[in-house]
Amino acid sequence: MNPRVKYASLIGIISFFFFQSHFLLSEFVFINWQNPKGENTLNFNIFGVYSSFFFSLIIGFISFFIIGFIYKFIHNLISHIQDESPSSYINAIPTNSDEYSLYQSIKLSLLGSDSPIKSEHFENKFDWAMSKSSAINRVIPDIKIPKISGFDIAVFPSVMRYVGSDYIRLHKTKDGMIGIFAGHMEPGILESTERVFIHGVTTGIPFDSLSSEESVSLLEKHLHQFEFEGLKISIFALTEDSDSMKFLHFMDMPIFQFSNHGIQIIEGNGDDRWHALHDHTSSIADGIEVGDFLVWASDRSLTEFGMTSFEIMEEFVDYLLDLNPKSAREMLLAIAKKMSALGKERNLTNPMEKLSIIVVSKTR
C-alpha cells in the first residue's frame, strides 16, 4: 500500500476508534449517573466538551508522532543519499518496498539520476561526455550584472544554456570594473571543469577592495596555478576616470570598439589561446570615450558563420551606424538580430545557441 494511503488510513481508523469510545462513554455516563428522580448528577454539556478536548489531544499527539516519524525517515534518507556507495541504512531497506521507492524518488530529484551515469546508457561516448559536461555547468550560477557607476553593461546569454557556453563574469572594483570572458572552441568535460575552476578563482578574489589594475594582475597570477588547455580568455579592466582599458586577450576574435565614427579593432599582444607556463604582459587600449561601445564575442562566431573577424566587422559597420543604438541593451539586441539574419542566410537552425556576447558602454 502507498505510504500516503497507509498513514491516512491509520489516522482515520484511530479517529473512528476514539469517536466510538467517546460515544459509548457518554452513553454509559448518561445511563448510570442519574439520581432516582431522573435528574442528571453531571452537567453532560461540560462533560462532552472536556472529553472531546481530551480525545482531540490524543489524536493530535498521535498525528504529531506519525509526521515526526516520516520527517526523520526522509531526513535519514537525504543524509545518506549522496554517499558514493549506499550506506548500511539504505542496504537494509528492501528494494521492493515503498521506502526504497521513496529513496529512489528523492535521489532522482536531488541528483537528477537514480543511479550513477554509465556510458552504456548512452548511444555513444560523445552523448555521455555532453551529459557530464552539462551537469558540471549547472554548478556555475547564472550571470548577475552588477551596477557599476559610469558603465552600461549587457550580456548574452545570462545562463549557460549550451553545454559549451563561455564563462562570463563582471565585477565592481574600487575605481571601475573588471570583466572575464572565457571559453573553448569545443565542449567537453575538461572544458566545463576548467570553467568551474575559473569561477572558483574569481569568487575568491575581493575585487571591490582592489583597483582595476590590481585585479587584472592578481587574477592572472591565480590562473597560472592551473594548466588550462585550449582556453580562450579575455580579461579587461575599465576605470571611470580614464579613457584607457587594461586587458589580456587570448582569442582569435578581437575586441570591437563601436563609436559614431565607425568600428575599430582592439587586439592585444597575446596568442589565440591562454598559455599557463609563462606570465603575460597586459595590453593598454586608449581612446575609449563616453558613448563608445566595447563588444566581446565568442571565437565560435568565426567557425559558426564561416567568416573572418574582418568580414564580420564589414557586416556590422553600416548596419550599426544606421541604427545608432543608445544603450548596451540596444546594441546587444542589434548584434543578436544581425547574427540571426546571417545565420539564416547560411541555413543555420539556431545561430545564437553557441554564441556569447558582452557589450560595455562608457556613460561618463
Side-chain angles (χ1 to χ4, degrees):
M1 185 184 294
N2 189 290
R4 295 174 62 185
V5 178
K6 184 190 300 182
Y7 293 125
S9 301
L10 179 61
I11 294 176
I13 293 172
I14 293 173
S15 301
F16 181 75
F17 170 76
F18 281 124
F19 169 76
Q20 286 288 82
S21 301
H22 181 263
F23 175 78
L24 294 174
L25 181 60
S26 300
E27 287 294 312
F28 174 81
V29 171
F30 183 79
I31 294 172
N32 294 283
W33 291 8
Q34 292 181 340
N35 60 21
K37 294 181 180 180
E39 296 176 353
N40 295 338
T41 57
L42 292 175
N43 187 327
F44 287 103
N45 290 332
I46 298 298
F47 171 79
V49 171
Y50 285 152
S51 59
S52 298
F53 179 72
F54 174 73
F55 286 125
S56 298
L57 283 178
I58 294 177
I59 294 175
F61 278 118
I62 292 175
S63 301
F64 177 79
F65 172 78
I66 292 176
I67 293 173
F69 170 78
I70 296 173
Y71 170 79
K72 289 181 181 178
F73 172 75
I74 294 176
H75 187 269
N76 205 348
L77 285 179
I78 293 174
S79 66
H80 294 84
I81 208 160
Q82 291 189 350
D83 290 349
E84 292 182 359
S85 58
S87 64
S88 58
Y89 176 81
I90 301 301
N91 287 327
I93 302 176
T95 56
N96 60 347
S97 66
D98 294 328
E99 288 80 2
Y100 191 81
S101 177
L102 179 61
Y103 161 73
Q104 294 287 69
S105 299
I106 294 175
K107 187 173 181 179
L108 179 63
S109 299
L110 293 179
L111 303 181
S113 175
D114 58 350
S115 60
I117 298 176
K118 297 180 181 180
S119 59
E120 58 265 23
H121 291 177
F122 300 89
E123 294 183 0
N124 52 60
K125 289 185 177 180
F126 178 80
D127 291 338
W128 175 82
M130 292 304 98
S131 176
K132 285 287 190 179
S133 180
S134 178
I136 295 171
N137 282 353
R138 286 197 293 269
V139 176
I140 303 176
D142 297 343
I143 301 169
K144 294 182 179 180
I145 302 176
K147 292 184 179 180
I148 304 175
S149 177
F151 298 99
D152 182 22
I153 306 169
V155 300
F156 175 85
S158 58
V159 295
M160 298 182 70
R161 293 180 298 183
Y162 170 61
V163 69
S165 294
D166 295 293
Y167 175 81
I168 297 175
R169 278 301 180 274
L170 302 151
H171 298 275
K172 182 178 180 181
T173 61
K174 285 197 307 183
D175 56 353
M177 63 170 290
I178 182 173
I180 303 102
F181 186 93
H184 300 79
M185 291 300 293
E186 299 295 337
I189 297 174
L190 176 62
E191 288 75 13
S192 293
T193 305
E194 290 185 358
R195 284 191 286 272
V196 174
F197 282 147
I198 294 172
H199 182 69
V201 170
T202 58
T203 53
I205 297 177
F207 291 110
D208 54 352
S209 62
L210 300 172
S211 68
S212 299
E213 186 172 342
E214 291 171 338
S215 298
V216 172
S217 300
L218 184 59
L219 180 57
E220 186 211 4
K221 179 181 179 181
H222 285 312
L223 290 179
H224 278 298
Q225 298 177 15
F226 306 97
E227 294 187 9
F228 296 122
E229 297 182 7
L231 177 65
K232 305 280 189 173
I233 188 169
S234 183
I235 304 170
F236 58 93
L238 292 162
T239 57
E240 187 177 353
D241 58 352
S242 174
D243 66 346
S244 62
M245 174 179 67
K246 182 177 181 179
F247 66 100
L248 293 165
H249 193 75
F250 294 88
M251 299 171 62
D252 286 316
M253 179 72 82
I255 305 168
F256 293 103
Q257 180 181 353
F258 295 85
S259 66
N260 293 330
H261 307 293
I263 301 177
Q264 293 181 336
I265 291 179
I266 299 177
E267 292 182 310
N269 55 3
D271 204 343
D272 61 347
R273 63 184 177 89
W274 175 264
H275 296 284
L277 300 181
H278 57 80
D279 295 336
H280 305 292
T281 303
S282 300
S283 302
I284 302 292
D286 297 315
I288 301 172
E289 305 294 340
V290 173
D292 288 359
F293 294 92
L294 296 171
V295 178
W296 286 257
S298 169
D299 266 8
R300 285 188 296 275
S301 304
L302 304 176
T303 57
E304 189 74 4
F305 296 102
M307 303 170 67
T308 65
S309 59
F310 181 77
E311 290 172 336
I312 290 178
M313 183 185 70
E314 284 188 322
E315 290 284 345
F316 279 91
V317 173
D318 295 333
Y319 170 73
L320 291 175
L321 286 175
D322 292 338
L323 285 179
N324 191 25
K326 303 298 183 183
S327 67
R329 179 175 174 79
E330 288 183 13
M331 173 64 79
L332 180 61
L333 291 174
I335 293 173
K337 184 177 179 180
K338 183 64 174 179
M339 287 289 196
S340 298
L342 290 174
K344 289 181 179 179
E345 292 176 3
R346 290 160 174 76
N347 297 319
L348 300 178
T349 305
N350 191 355
M352 296 299 294
E353 179 185 19
K354 300 179 181 180
L355 306 186
S356 301
I357 302 170
I358 301 178
V359 178
V360 178
S361 174
K362 194 167 184 179
T363 58
R364 62 180 182 182

